[in-house]
Protein backbone atom coordinates (compact mmCIF):
# COMPACT_ATOMS: atom_id res chain seq x y z
CA UNK A 1 0.00 0.00 0.00
CA UNK A 2 1.39 3.34 -1.04
CA UNK A 3 0.78 5.57 1.92
CA UNK A 4 3.12 8.25 0.60
CA UNK A 5 2.95 9.35 -3.01
CA UNK A 6 5.06 11.59 -5.16
CA UNK A 7 3.10 11.84 -8.36
CA UNK A 8 5.72 13.67 -10.40
CA UNK A 9 8.61 11.37 -11.29
CA UNK A 10 10.61 14.27 -12.69
CA UNK A 11 10.85 18.06 -12.64
CA UNK A 12 13.05 20.39 -14.65
CA UNK A 13 13.63 24.03 -13.71
CA UNK A 14 15.94 26.83 -14.74
CA UNK A 15 18.74 27.91 -12.43
CA UNK A 16 17.62 30.73 -10.18
CA UNK A 17 13.95 29.84 -10.37
CA UNK A 18 11.82 28.13 -7.75
CA UNK A 19 11.55 24.34 -7.58
CA UNK A 20 8.38 22.95 -6.01
CA UNK A 21 8.24 19.27 -5.19
CA UNK A 22 4.98 17.77 -3.99
CA UNK A 23 4.03 14.84 -1.81
CA UNK A 24 0.69 13.39 -0.68
CA UNK A 25 0.00 10.94 2.10
CA UNK A 26 -3.02 8.90 3.12
CA UNK A 27 -2.46 8.04 6.79
CA UNK A 28 -3.60 10.84 9.09
CA UNK A 29 -1.63 9.24 11.95
CA UNK A 30 1.69 10.35 10.48
CA UNK A 31 3.09 13.08 12.73
CA UNK A 32 6.49 13.88 11.28
CA UNK A 33 7.54 14.51 7.71
CA UNK A 34 10.95 14.61 6.13
CA UNK A 35 12.61 15.31 2.82
CA UNK A 36 15.73 13.47 1.72
CA UNK A 37 17.96 14.14 -1.27
CA UNK A 38 19.77 11.36 -3.08
CA UNK A 39 22.67 11.55 -5.51
CA UNK A 40 23.60 8.54 -7.65
CA UNK A 41 25.62 5.87 -5.84
CA UNK A 42 24.97 7.49 -2.44
CA UNK A 43 22.45 6.92 0.30
CA UNK A 44 19.66 9.43 0.94
CA UNK A 45 20.80 12.58 2.75
CA UNK A 46 18.47 14.32 5.20
CA UNK A 47 17.41 17.74 3.98
CA UNK A 48 14.61 19.21 6.08
CA UNK A 49 11.72 18.08 8.27
CA UNK A 50 8.48 19.32 9.76
CA UNK A 51 6.34 18.26 12.68
CA UNK A 52 2.60 17.91 12.25
CA UNK A 53 2.06 20.74 14.73
CA UNK A 54 3.60 23.20 12.27
CA UNK A 55 2.66 24.24 8.78
CA UNK A 56 6.00 25.64 7.64
CA UNK A 57 9.67 25.09 8.29
CA UNK A 58 12.45 27.01 6.61
CA UNK A 59 16.17 26.33 6.33
CA UNK A 60 18.09 28.60 4.01
CA UNK A 61 16.93 28.04 0.45
CA UNK A 62 14.66 25.16 1.49
CA UNK A 63 11.14 25.51 2.86
CA UNK A 64 8.72 22.71 3.62
CA UNK A 65 4.99 23.37 3.81
CA UNK A 66 2.48 21.04 5.41
CA UNK A 67 -1.26 21.09 4.76
CA UNK A 68 -2.70 18.52 7.14
CA UNK A 69 -6.29 18.88 6.00
CA UNK A 70 -5.23 18.06 2.45
CA UNK A 71 -2.61 15.52 3.60
CA UNK A 72 -0.12 17.29 1.39
CA UNK A 73 3.38 18.59 1.81
CA UNK A 74 5.68 20.41 -0.52
CA UNK A 75 9.33 21.37 -0.68
CA UNK A 76 10.28 24.73 -2.14
CA UNK A 77 13.84 25.44 -3.24
CA UNK A 78 14.59 29.09 -3.94
CA UNK A 79 16.73 29.91 -5.83
CA UNK A 80 17.40 26.58 -7.49
CA UNK A 81 21.02 25.74 -8.27
CA UNK A 82 22.51 23.11 -10.60
CA UNK A 83 23.92 21.31 -7.54
CA UNK A 84 20.36 20.71 -6.39
CA UNK A 85 19.90 18.24 -9.23
CA UNK A 86 19.14 14.94 -7.50
CA UNK A 87 16.28 12.62 -6.59
CA UNK A 88 14.15 13.95 -3.75
CA UNK A 89 12.20 11.61 -1.48
CA UNK A 90 9.52 12.65 0.93
CA UNK A 91 8.92 10.49 3.99
CA UNK A 92 6.18 10.36 6.58
CA UNK A 93 6.61 8.90 10.01
CA UNK A 94 4.57 7.68 12.96
CA UNK A 95 6.71 6.42 15.82
CA UNK A 96 9.22 4.08 14.19
CA UNK A 97 7.21 3.46 11.05
CA UNK A 98 8.60 5.62 8.25
CA UNK A 99 7.25 5.43 4.73
CA UNK A 100 8.85 6.91 1.65
CA UNK A 101 7.49 8.16 -1.62
CA UNK A 102 8.93 6.92 -4.90
CA UNK A 103 10.94 10.09 -5.43
CA UNK A 104 11.05 13.02 -7.85
CA UNK A 105 14.09 13.59 -10.02
CA UNK A 106 14.90 17.30 -10.07
CA UNK A 107 17.06 18.70 -12.83
CA UNK A 108 18.21 22.30 -12.53
CA UNK A 109 19.45 23.65 -15.83
CA UNK A 110 22.17 26.32 -15.92
CA UNK B 1 33.00 9.83 12.92
CA UNK B 2 32.16 10.16 9.25
CA UNK B 3 28.66 8.73 9.27
CA UNK B 4 27.00 5.41 8.56
CA UNK B 5 29.16 2.96 6.62
CA UNK B 6 28.16 -0.18 4.75
CA UNK B 7 30.19 -3.03 3.38
CA UNK B 8 30.41 -4.21 0.68
CA UNK B 9 29.22 -1.42 -1.60
CA UNK B 10 28.49 -3.89 -4.38
CA UNK B 11 27.79 -7.60 -4.40
CA UNK B 12 27.20 -9.91 -7.35
CA UNK B 13 26.09 -13.41 -6.53
CA UNK B 14 24.52 -16.42 -8.16
CA UNK B 15 20.96 -17.45 -7.43
CA UNK B 16 20.80 -19.77 -4.45
CA UNK B 17 23.87 -18.40 -2.69
CA UNK B 18 23.77 -16.72 0.72
CA UNK B 19 24.94 -13.14 1.15
CA UNK B 20 25.68 -11.03 4.23
CA UNK B 21 25.92 -7.26 4.44
CA UNK B 22 27.38 -5.21 7.23
CA UNK B 23 26.37 -1.81 8.58
CA UNK B 24 28.30 0.36 11.02
CA UNK B 25 26.10 3.13 12.42
CA UNK B 26 27.17 6.53 13.70
CA UNK B 27 28.94 5.64 16.94
CA UNK B 28 26.57 7.12 19.51
CA UNK B 29 23.39 6.07 17.67
CA UNK B 30 21.47 3.29 19.35
CA UNK B 31 18.77 2.84 16.72
CA UNK B 32 19.65 1.04 13.50
CA UNK B 33 17.35 0.45 10.52
CA UNK B 34 17.52 -1.66 7.38
CA UNK B 35 15.72 -0.70 4.15
CA UNK B 36 15.53 -2.09 0.65
CA UNK B 37 15.26 0.15 -2.39
CA UNK B 38 14.35 -1.10 -5.83
CA UNK B 39 14.61 0.85 -9.06
CA UNK B 40 12.16 3.72 -9.25
CA UNK B 41 10.95 3.31 -5.69
CA UNK B 42 11.69 4.86 -2.35
CA UNK B 43 13.32 2.96 0.51
CA UNK B 44 11.16 0.20 1.95
CA UNK B 45 11.52 -0.54 5.66
CA UNK B 46 12.68 -4.05 6.59
CA UNK B 47 13.62 -4.12 10.27
CA UNK B 48 15.18 -2.11 13.07
CA UNK B 49 17.11 -2.43 16.32
CA UNK B 50 17.23 -0.54 19.58
CA UNK B 51 20.74 -1.40 20.76
CA UNK B 52 20.92 -5.20 20.35
CA UNK B 53 17.17 -5.78 20.52
CA UNK B 54 15.35 -6.30 17.23
CA UNK B 55 12.08 -4.48 17.77
CA UNK B 56 10.36 -5.07 14.47
CA UNK B 57 10.90 -7.87 12.00
CA UNK B 58 7.45 -8.59 10.65
CA UNK B 59 8.23 -6.57 7.56
CA UNK B 60 11.26 -8.59 6.56
CA UNK B 61 10.44 -9.76 3.07
CA UNK B 62 10.57 -13.48 3.75
CA UNK B 63 12.07 -15.97 6.17
CA UNK B 64 15.16 -15.99 3.96
CA UNK B 65 15.98 -12.55 5.38
CA UNK B 66 17.47 -12.15 8.85
CA UNK B 67 19.33 -9.44 10.70
CA UNK B 68 21.46 -9.26 13.82
CA UNK B 69 23.07 -6.63 15.97
CA UNK B 70 24.80 -8.78 18.58
CA UNK B 71 26.63 -6.15 20.60
CA UNK B 72 24.46 -3.18 19.86
CA UNK B 73 27.00 -1.65 17.52
CA UNK B 74 27.34 -2.94 13.95
CA UNK B 75 24.59 -4.97 12.30
CA UNK B 76 24.44 -7.64 9.61
CA UNK B 77 21.68 -8.45 7.16
CA UNK B 78 21.73 -11.94 5.67
CA UNK B 79 19.78 -13.21 2.71
CA UNK B 80 19.75 -16.97 2.30
CA UNK B 81 19.13 -18.78 -0.98
CA UNK B 82 19.11 -15.56 -2.96
CA UNK B 83 16.65 -15.07 -5.80
CA UNK B 84 16.82 -12.73 -8.76
CA UNK B 85 14.04 -10.66 -7.19
CA UNK B 86 16.35 -9.86 -4.28
CA UNK B 87 18.43 -7.65 -6.57
CA UNK B 88 18.17 -4.18 -5.06
CA UNK B 89 19.97 -1.55 -3.01
CA UNK B 90 20.07 -2.38 0.69
CA UNK B 91 20.29 0.70 2.87
CA UNK B 92 21.15 1.04 6.53
CA UNK B 93 20.26 4.06 8.64
CA UNK B 94 20.82 5.05 12.25
CA UNK B 95 19.40 7.54 14.69
CA UNK B 96 20.35 8.71 18.14
CA UNK B 97 17.21 7.89 20.11
CA UNK B 98 13.68 6.80 19.57
CA UNK B 99 12.64 10.44 19.76
CA UNK B 100 15.10 11.79 17.26
CA UNK B 101 13.09 11.63 14.14
CA UNK B 102 15.95 12.01 11.66
CA UNK B 103 17.52 8.84 10.35
CA UNK B 104 20.92 9.12 8.72
CA UNK B 105 21.60 6.75 5.85
CA UNK B 106 24.67 4.91 4.71
CA UNK B 107 25.70 4.66 1.04
CA UNK B 108 23.99 1.29 0.59
CA UNK B 109 24.99 -2.12 -0.72
CA UNK B 110 23.89 -2.84 -4.26
CA UNK B 111 23.07 -6.52 -4.74
CA UNK B 112 22.81 -8.20 -8.11
CA UNK B 113 21.62 -11.79 -8.20
CA UNK B 114 22.37 -13.58 -11.46
Amino acid sequence: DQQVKQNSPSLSVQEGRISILNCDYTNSMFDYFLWYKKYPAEGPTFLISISSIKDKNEDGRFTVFLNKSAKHLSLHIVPSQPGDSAVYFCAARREDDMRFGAGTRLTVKP
Amino acid sequence: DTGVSQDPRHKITKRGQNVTFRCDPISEHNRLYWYRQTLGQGPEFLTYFQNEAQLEKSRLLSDRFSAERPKGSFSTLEIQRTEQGDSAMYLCASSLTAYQETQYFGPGTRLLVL
Side-chain angles (χ1 to χ4, degrees):
Chain A
D1 62 339
Q2 281 233 287
Q3 297 190 30
V4 179
K5 294 182 181 179
Q6 294 177 256
N7 291 319
S8 298
S10 63
L11 174 68
S12 181
V13 301
Q14 205 67 34
E15 181 179 5
R17 300 292 185 102
I18 184 171
S19 295
I20 300 176
L21 296 98
N22 294 302
C23 179
D24 297 291
Y25 61 96
T26 57
N27 188 342
S28 59
M29 299 300 292
F30 289 134
D31 58 9
Y32 203 80
F33 304 88
L34 307 92
W35 284 94
Y36 283 83
K37 180 170 73 172
K38 187 180 185 302
Y39 293 118
E42 296 182 10
T45 301
F46 169 72
L47 193 57
I48 192 169
S49 61
I50 187 168
S51 166
S52 61
I53 63 173
K54 296 185 176 181
D55 56 16
K56 177 183 175 181
N57 188 27
E58 194 171 351
D59 183 3
R61 298 185 297 114
F62 302 91
T63 303
V64 56
F65 296 92
L66 176 63
N67 182 334
K68 281 191 298 181
S69 61
K71 296 190 182 67
H72 178 83
L73 68 155
S74 61
L75 174 67
H76 292 209
I77 306 173
V78 182
S80 301
Q81 299 173 354
D84 296 329
S85 297
V87 177
Y88 290 78
F89 293 99
C90 70
R93 179 175 177 149
R94 174 178 179 265
E95 297 180 349
D96 288 301
D97 183 8
M98 190 153 78
R99 307 280 176 140
F100 285 82
T104 296
R105 180 177 299 279
L106 173 66
T107 302
V108 180
K109 298 180 177 178
Chain B
D1 189 288
T2 56
V4 179
S5 62
Q6 292 186 245
D7 182 71
R9 295 290 305 275
H10 304 273
K11 178 71 177 178
I12 300 174
T13 191
K14 293 182 179 179
R15 188 176 51 187
Q17 298 294 305
N18 299 344
V19 294
T20 300
F21 309 140
R22 177 180 169 126
C23 171
D24 288 89
I26 294 171
S27 59
E28 65 270 25
H29 285 187
N30 50 34
R31 288 239 164 169
L32 186 149
Y33 304 81
W34 284 100
Y35 291 84
R36 182 182 77 158
Q37 185 178 11
T38 54
L39 195 62
Q41 299 298 317
E44 175 188 12
F45 171 80
L46 296 178
T47 188
Y48 81 98
F49 294 84
Q50 167 80 27
N51 298 315
E52 66 275 9
Q54 190 172 12
L55 299 185
E56 171 61 64
K57 53 183 177 181
S58 66
R59 288 165 61 183
L60 284 166
L61 299 165
S62 78
D63 58 7
R64 298 184 296 106
F65 287 71
S66 63
E68 293 183 340
R69 195 183 183 195
K71 297 182 180 179
S73 56
F74 74 92
S75 175
T76 57
L77 177 71
E78 181 182 18
I79 309 173
Q80 296 182 328
R81 305 180 304 280
T82 53
E83 301 173 356
Q84 287 184 326
D86 297 332
S87 297
M89 174 75 84
Y90 291 86
L91 293 162
C92 174
S94 69
S95 67
L96 185 57
T97 69
Y99 301 104
Q100 177 168 331
E101 297 86 354
T102 301
Q103 296 177 17
Y104 296 91
F105 282 83
T109 295
R110 182 168 295 283
L111 172 66
L112 177 61
V113 181
L114 301 176

